[in-house]
Amino acid sequence: GDLMDNLPIMDVSTGRAKLMVPVRSLRVLDAIAPDFGRMAEICTKIGTNGFHVFTFETRHLESITTAQHFAPTAGVNEDLVTGNAAGGLGCYLVRHYQDLTPHQAHYAFEMEQGHNFGREGKVYVDIDQVGDEITSVRVGGTATILFKTSFSLEGGG
């Protein structure tokens, strides 16, 4: 009952496959308690790189979605903000989200991620389309520097 029944759960790839999982609300998204071992098993079994769970409920009016991304087979249990998955989600929305005007030449989306860690991020996705074919996907966004460091390597034995 927490999944949206009018959108499919499906693998989408803009280079690395992600399983798009639409849920009904922020409440559902925020309550996710992932079993990373089981997720890794499913990813391996179906040949995907991770689960991109999203909702159309957002914290900011400009955004179209809020998401969490889990990729235990890629060595990242949860990616706080991921452009690769956001690009895939944008393509998914162009194909499956009925509230969009179909067959536009250009789509622009703002997507939210990272709230559950207190590190809010926004991803901007631009998609060009000719007829039914998506011809380009561009991704950009904002980030927070968590730390800076430097090191030097000295010759040795």
Side-chain angles (χ1 to χ4, degrees):
D2 291 334
L3 299 173
M4 293 186 70
D5 54 10
N6 61 332
L7 289 171
I9 295 173
M10 67 180 299
D11 234 10
V12 176
S13 178
T14 55
R16 295 185 77 178
K18 314 290 186 214
L19 193 67
M20 300 297 154
V21 182
V23 297
R24 294 187 181 277
S25 67
L26 278 171
R27 180 194 56 75
V28 171
L29 187 69
D30 290 343
I32 292 174
D35 177 340
F36 295 115
R38 182 72 178 121
M39 283 183 156
E41 289 173 14
I42 293 168
C43 286
T44 300
K45 182 177 181 178
I46 66 174
T48 195
N49 184 256
F51 289 74
H52 197 66
V53 185
F54 71 94
T55 181
F56 291 106
E57 283 190 7
T58 62
R59 290 166 176 85
H60 301 283
L61 290 176
E62 311 81 36
S63 300
I64 190 168
T65 60
T66 304
Q68 289 188 46
H69 185 74
F70 307 103
T73 57
V76 181
N77 282 339
E78 183 167 356
D79 191 338
L80 298 184
V81 180
T82 170
N84 186 296
L89 178 56
C91 293
Y92 171 95
L93 296 177
V94 166
R95 290 285 187 259
H96 300 287
Y97 186 47
Q98 300 302 313
D99 286 354
L100 296 179
T101 303
H103 307 294
Q104 285 182 202
H106 180 79
Y107 295 89
F109 303 113
E110 180 177 302
M111 301 173 180
E112 302 174 4
Q113 201 176 338
H115 299 284
N116 54 320
F117 284 93
R119 297 205 170 96
E120 181 178 321
K122 290 191 180 181
V123 181
Y124 304 97
V125 178
D126 287 301
I127 296 176
D128 292 324
Q129 177 173 273
V130 175
D132 284 338
E133 182 181 347
I134 293 174
T135 56
S136 73
V137 179
R138 292 173 305 284
V139 177
T142 61
T144 301
I145 296 172
L146 299 179
F147 65 91
K148 291 183 181 184
T149 188
S150 63
F151 62 92
S152 63
L153 301 174
E154 296 185 22

